[in-house]
Amino acid sequence: MESPHIFLVGMMGSGKSTLGRGLAAALGLPFQDLDEAIEERTQRTIASLFERPGEFGFRACEAQMLRELPTRFARSVIATGGGAPMHFDSMSYMMATGTTAYLRLEMDALAGRLESARAERPLLAKPDWRASTEALLSLRRSVYERSDVIVDTGGQTPADSLKLLVTKLR
Ligand code: S3P
């Protein structure tokens, strides 16, 4: 069945933006990135939005943009931010609006990837980022796992993850 939009969900560093671009190209669909759309609209970085108005204000803006993106195209691939499904009942919204795919990566693999990408992520800007990421993952896992499709991206190359994703979503 053709679903209008494909929403990629998962933790920071799970490859939503990179694989999302590849998936969109493979399916011949436009690609939209939620964090990028927020930065474009507000002319601010995600890190500075976390400082002011703060995380709650950021989440409200994120939920609003998540509902705007599907109105821009008839169909598209949308990479969401890691926390988006956790607020304003957005997981249910995405499930009602299209197909959801969880890019699943367990903690060790995730930590390896995040180590080099901490600078632009406010939730990782603390010395105990590994423990807090683990806590976030255990809080989020059951919500992510409501997704229509789950793709395990650990232990394989990005090219193989992309192939798997395309096969499951074509
Ligand atoms: C967040 C993930 C980030 C970004 C913000 C908060 C989170 O997006 O929205 O830093 O709560 O996990 P990515 O998952 O694209 O890194």
Side-chain angles (χ1 to χ4, degrees), residues 10-13 16-17 35 46 50 58-59 62 80-83 121-123 136 140:
M11 289 292 283
M12 299 170 268
K16 300 178 298 280
S17 301
D35 283 343
I46 302 291
F50 263 73
F58 168 75
R59 295 302 177 191
E62 179 181 54
T80 66
R121 291 185 168 96
L123 291 177
L136 269 185
R140 293 174 175 180

Side-chain angles (χ1 to χ4, degrees), residues 64-128:
Q64 194 181 1
M65 187 56 75
L66 179 65
R67 285 154 179 78
E68 179 180 323
L69 292 184
T71 68
R72 294 185 179 176
F73 299 96
R75 297 188 69 204
S76 70
V77 174
I78 299 174
T80 66
M86 305 300 296
H87 303 271
F88 298 95
D89 208 13
S90 289
M91 189 69 197
S92 301
Y93 163 76
M94 289 187 270
M95 296 184 72
T97 310
T99 302
T100 46
Y102 172 27
L103 303 185
R104 184 161 62 187
L105 202 60
E106 288 308 332
M107 195 52 210
D108 284 345
L110 208 51
R113 291 210 202 162
L114 290 176
E115 183 74 72
S116 55
R118 288 176 55 207
E120 67 275 17
R121 291 185 168 96
L123 291 177
L124 302 178
K126 42 193 164 196
D128 67 342

